């Protein structure tokens, strides 16, 4: 993960660090961490199995274990220890999605584990079986009464947070959005490495208690395998090369979850450090990643719980999240476990926002970014162009600032990074100082979108309007994204554009049309019965919308024609709605300009007429008539 760290005099004074530590802006660039391809993830000894309802295995833990052991026997010699001992299985727990987690008596290599899962899946009692692999944090490299164009007094906002400002092509209009809403009343769950709750810029009341879902003491660095309340980040440093997967580096703790949570809701306008985009929202930190990432089974349970769902053995979540952010992933397509957990969260009303990944590859091969019912976010640079590392593809919904690293110099090189709360502690939370870190990655882009979703939901509730469903939120975010300021290659699509908080708020808060007091139809030029409209012209691909109202009692046909002039036009007509070019209820697409649509016994209503230039045309006459 590319990282730059910064400690300013203000925070040094706040936490009592000698002035010598506050003087410099020394850079510390860490190792890259990206989601590893599935073939490189270290195989383990845990599998997730969903048994079909009505089977013995669905009700008996002993039968669940026996079914896995039988599959291991069928799988053959590869699924045995070095001494030839058969694999046995122990039931660990039931997941929130209704599947079961089982631990094998020994670790298997990748091929043997995949073979075992195939055998388990072939059992008629099994709905699906998935390896319980580890995924990783992604990274390469009270409401304010604001004055118009509210600008916070956080010292790093104007100096370093280019991503929240419009004085560069790649930033978003945070200040304009803050004139409308700051996220009050909305809960954003951040499923990540946990949180540093005593960071001075994360102590403004935004942090809820959260929960630590890591169920493996090696990964969590806690004393037991138990899950516990709170989401303290114990550190995710790796002291030994290759301990996580083949080629995994020695690296310091990232404090990734604190940085991501800071983008969502870092304390703002407190004359300290940096700003957060939805800074009056609440952050629900949910720890799912630690040393060597986090298990799929833990992540799935955390998704369900964060949304307000039930997970056995865990107290009910008293603060269900309207928005869930996951800046994490693995190098494999979406699987049944992830999809089931996400579907549960969406059914509970949570909008799930995920990072696309940082492998400069098609997102179809990465999870959870390739899952259905998620908002998948790519990363852009300060130029507004594609960040070199960002995954891409048709499954990317939209993009947000993720930074571009040293390729975008300025402000001492900080224009290449997303700056938020962090620490220079190399290992445990108390082994260093609180400061600010500059990261790049889709991990950094995703919380921008999650925060915009929080702003929208808060604004709607404040306006006594219903919040959006996850599907409607996704559509709003995509429809209101602004166009990329630079060309994005067709081979590496990054969605509909860059997230635009002000446009999203404006669209969400637009007053719905009341048909009893106003015309709620699309904007169209009125056609008067039997009165021709002459001299029409347009270019190839141009469209113009007209409308004629047919009253009740009309007995003769409605005739709509074009004639004269040069070029080639087509006609498309629909009743009470705007027709799509080529897909109206009635269409005329003959070569040239002589088009006719005849509607016998027309129903009363407004008929919308779309005139399309198939080629450039001029001096065309359009007429509608009825008796």
């Amino acid at each position: 993960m590319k990282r730059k760290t910064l400690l300013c005099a203000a925070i040094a004074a706040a936490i009592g660090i000698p002035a010598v530590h506050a003087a410099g802006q020394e850079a510390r660039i860490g190792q890259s961490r990206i989601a590893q391809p599935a073939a490189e993830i270290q195989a383990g000894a845990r599998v997730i199995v969903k048994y079909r309802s009505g089977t013995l295995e669905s009700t008996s833990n002993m039968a669940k274990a026996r079914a896995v052991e039988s599959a291991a026997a069928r799988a053959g010699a590869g699924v045995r220890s070095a001494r030839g001992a058969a694999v046995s299985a122990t039931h660990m727990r039931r997941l929130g999605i209704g599947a079961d987690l089982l631990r094998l008596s020994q670790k298997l290599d990748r091929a043997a584990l995949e073979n075992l899962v195939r055998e388990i899946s072939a059992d008629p009692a099994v709905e699906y079986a998935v390896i319980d692999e580890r995924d990783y944090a992604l990274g390469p490299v009270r409401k304010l009464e604001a004055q118009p164009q509210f600008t916070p007094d956080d010292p790093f906002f104007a100096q370093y947070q280019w991503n929240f400002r419009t004085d560069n092509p790649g930033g978003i209009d945070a200040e304009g959005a803050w004139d409308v809403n700051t996220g009050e009343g909305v809960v954003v769950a951040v499923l990540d490495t946990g949180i540093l709750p005593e960071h001075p810029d994360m102590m403004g009341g935004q942090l809820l208690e959260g929960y630590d879902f890591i169920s493996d003491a090696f990964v969590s660095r806690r004393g037991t395998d138990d899950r516990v309340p709170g989401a303290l980040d114990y550190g995710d440093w790796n002291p030994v090369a290759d301990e996580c997967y083949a080629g995994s580096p020695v690296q310091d703790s990232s404090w990734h979850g604190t940085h991501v949570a800071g983008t969502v809701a870092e304390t703002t306008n407190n004359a300290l450090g940096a700003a957060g985009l939805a800074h009056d929202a609440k952050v629900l930190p949910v720890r799912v990643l630690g040393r060597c990432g986090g298990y799929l089974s833990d992540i799935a349970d955390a998704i369900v719980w964060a949304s307000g769902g039930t997970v056995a053995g865990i107290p009910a979540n008293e603060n269900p999240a309207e928005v869930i952010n996951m800046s994490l992933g693995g190098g494999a397509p979406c699987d049944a476990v992830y999809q089931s957990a996400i579907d549960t969260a969406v059914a509970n009303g949570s909008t799930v926002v995920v990072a696309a990944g940082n492998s400069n590859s098609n997102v179809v091969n990465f999870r959870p970014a390739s899952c259905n019912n998620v908002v998948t976010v790519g990363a852009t640079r300060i130029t507004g162009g594609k960040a070199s590392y960002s995954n891409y593809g048709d499954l990317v919904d939209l993009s947000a600032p993720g930074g571009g690293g040293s390729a975008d110099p300025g402000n001492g090189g900080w224009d290449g990074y997303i700056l938020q709360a962090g620490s220079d502690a190399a290992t445990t939370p108390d082994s260093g100082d609180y400061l600010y870190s500059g990261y790049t990655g889709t991990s950094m882009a995703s919380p921008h979108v999650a925060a915009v979703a929080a702003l929208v939901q808060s604004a709607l509730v404040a306006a006594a309007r219903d919040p959006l469903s996850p599907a409607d939120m996704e559509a709003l975010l995509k429809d209101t994204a602004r166009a990329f300021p630079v060309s994005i290659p067709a081979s590496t699509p990054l969605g509909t554009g860059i997230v635009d908080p002000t446009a999203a708020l404006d669209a969400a808060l637009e007053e719905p049309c009341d048909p009893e007091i106003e015309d709620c139809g699309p904007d169209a030029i009125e056609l008067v019965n039997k009165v021709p409209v002459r001299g029409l012209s347009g270019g190839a691909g141009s469209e113009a919308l007209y409308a004629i109202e047919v009253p009740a009692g009309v007995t003769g046909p409605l005739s709509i024609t074009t004639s004269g002039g040069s070029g080639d036009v087509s006609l498309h007509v629909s009743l009470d709605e705007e027709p799509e070019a080529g897909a109206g209820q009635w269409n005329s697409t003959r070569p040239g300009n002589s088009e006719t649509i005849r509607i016998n016994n027309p129903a009363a209503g407004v008929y919308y007429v779309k005139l399309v230039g198939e080629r450039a045309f001029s001096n065309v006459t359009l007429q509608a008539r009825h008796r």
Side-chain angles (χ1 to χ4, degrees):
M1 179 184 303
K2 284 197 173 181
R3 171 165 67 173
K4 207 171 189 181
T5 57
L6 181 62
L7 180 65
C8 72
I11 194 170
I15 59 179
I17 299 171
V20 64
H21 292 281
Q25 297 179 11
E26 296 182 358
R28 181 174 58 142
I29 306 300
Q31 295 286 340
S32 295
R33 175 188 297 173
I34 62 174
Q36 297 300 308
E40 296 180 12
I41 298 177
Q42 181 180 347
R46 294 156 55 130
V47 293
I48 302 169
V49 185
K50 178 72 178 292
Y51 294 95
R52 298 187 187 278
S53 177
T55 63
L56 174 63
E57 289 84 355
S58 68
T59 59
S60 167
N61 290 343
M62 183 176 296
K64 293 178 174 84
R66 283 201 301 264
V68 171
E69 291 164 359
S70 296
R74 295 194 303 272
V79 188
R80 290 180 177 273
S81 71
R83 297 181 179 181
V87 168
S88 60
T90 303
H91 184 268
M92 295 181 66
R93 65 174 182 272
R94 186 76 175 267
L95 304 188
I97 57 174
D100 293 276
L101 178 63
L102 295 102
R103 188 197 304 274
L104 307 179
S105 57
Q106 62 198 49
K107 285 194 173 184
L108 304 175
D109 65 32
R110 183 76 196 191
L113 194 56
E114 289 178 342
N115 191 21
L116 173 59
V117 166
R118 281 193 293 271
E119 288 294 338
I120 298 172
S121 300
D123 188 328
V126 172
E127 184 174 326
Y128 61 76
V130 176
I131 301 170
D132 190 21
E133 294 176 320
R134 293 195 297 264
D135 280 359
Y136 294 83
L138 293 172
V141 234
R142 200 176 72 160
K143 181 178 180 180
L144 295 174
E145 295 299 331
Q147 297 299 315
Q149 283 298 301
F150 164 67
T151 300
D153 60 8
D154 307 80
F156 291 159
F157 175 77
Q159 189 174 7
Y160 300 121
Q161 290 190 287
W162 60 268
N163 49 306
F164 287 169
R165 306 193 315 269
T166 57
D167 55 355
N168 62 81
I172 64 175
D173 188 12
E175 293 172 284
W178 293 333
D179 289 344
V180 179
N181 192 270
T182 53
E184 183 179 16
V186 174
V187 176
V188 180
V190 175
L191 275 58
D192 216 290
T193 65
I195 199 76
L196 295 173
E198 295 184 0
H199 190 290
D201 226 4
M202 297 299 293
M203 297 178 68
Q206 67 270 65
L207 294 179
L208 299 170
E209 181 181 40
Y211 219 87
D212 188 333
F213 269 80
I214 301 176
S215 61
D216 185 302
F218 171 83
V219 175
S220 72
R221 287 195 161 96
R222 290 182 281 101
T224 71
D225 291 341
D226 296 335
R227 294 164 164 177
V228 298
L232 175 66
D233 191 341
Y234 284 77
D236 58 353
W237 78 95
N238 301 127
V240 180
D242 299 319
E243 76 170 347
C244 300
Y245 52 84
S248 66
V250 174
Q251 60 186 28
D252 294 342
S253 289
S254 67
W255 315 114
H256 189 272
T258 297
H259 192 284
V260 170
T263 294
V264 175
E266 194 156 320
T267 310
T268 301
N269 209 37
N270 62 339
L272 178 68
L277 184 51
H279 47 261
D280 281 329
K282 297 292 186 182
V283 170
L284 179 69
V286 185
R287 188 173 182 235
V288 295
L289 305 175
R291 173 165 51 184
C292 296
Y295 280 104
L296 172 60
S297 55
D298 291 338
I299 296 170
D301 273 353
I303 294 169
V304 172
W305 182 85
S307 71
T310 300
V311 176
I314 308 297
N317 176 11
E318 297 181 356
N319 300 285
E322 288 89 344
V323 186
I324 296 173
N325 184 84
M326 289 194 287
S327 293
L328 53 79
C334 185
D335 55 65
V337 174
Y338 256 127
Q339 192 62 66
S340 181
I342 289 165
D343 290 347
T344 299
V346 169
N348 289 339
S350 298
T351 297
V352 181
V353 183
V354 302
N358 305 318
S359 299
N360 190 30
S361 299
N362 196 306
V363 75
V364 296
N365 297 312
F366 296 82
R367 67 181 194 187
S370 62
C371 294
N372 297 325
N373 298 326
V374 298
V375 182
T376 300
V377 184
T380 50
R381 303 163 52 194
I382 192 172
T383 64
K386 178 185 178 295
S388 61
Y389 52 80
S390 180
N391 283 352
Y392 53 82
D394 293 338
L395 295 183
V396 176
D397 293 302
L398 75 167
S399 292
S406 58
D408 290 325
N411 287 339
W414 283 88
D415 279 354
Y417 297 84
I418 306 299
L419 181 137
Q420 296 294 166
S423 172
D424 68 355
T427 55
T428 59
D430 58 359
S431 66
D433 297 324
Y434 297 122
L435 39 62
Y436 297 84
S437 297
Y439 281 163
T440 64
T442 57
S443 278
M444 288 59 254
S446 182
H448 286 76
V449 174
V452 172
L455 295 176
V456 169
Q457 300 291 46
S458 176
L460 287 168
V461 172
R465 303 260 293 274
D466 291 335
L468 297 181
S469 69
D472 287 343
M473 178 63 75
E474 178 179 345
L476 175 76
L477 293 169
K478 293 165 65 174
D479 290 346
T480 59
R482 69 178 175 89
F484 295 104
V486 298
S487 178
I488 303 297
S491 60
T492 58
L494 283 181
T496 59
I498 299 174
V499 69
D500 189 330
T502 52
L505 286 165
D506 288 346
L509 294 173
E510 184 177 350
E511 289 294 334
C513 181
D514 184 346
E516 293 187 2
I517 61 175
E518 58 183 317
D519 178 10
C520 296
D523 290 335
I525 301 168
E526 183 180 2
L527 293 173
V528 178
N529 185 31
K530 302 180 182 179
V531 176
V533 180
R534 306 182 189 278
L536 301 178
S537 62
S542 64
E543 297 182 358
L545 187 65
Y546 300 84
I548 182 168
E549 185 172 4
V550 175
V554 170
T555 58
L558 170 63
S559 176
I560 304 167
T561 63
T562 60
S563 60
S566 61
D568 187 7
V569 299
S570 60
L571 273 181
H572 311 278
V573 178
S574 291
L575 175 60
D576 292 333
E577 65 181 10
E578 180 177 351
E580 295 290 335
Q585 292 174 260
W586 301 272
N587 304 279
S588 178
T589 58
R590 290 179 290 188
N593 293 330
S594 296
E595 307 292 347
T596 299
I597 290 177
R598 182 183 175 92
I599 304 170
N600 294 318
N601 301 315
V606 178
Y607 289 79
Y608 289 94
V609 180
K610 181 166 284 187
L611 180 66
V612 177
E614 301 296 332
R615 292 187 289 112
F617 63 94
S618 64
N619 202 30
V620 171
T621 297
L622 169 67
Q623 185 174 24
R625 58 189 301 151
H626 60 78
R627 295 196 300 271

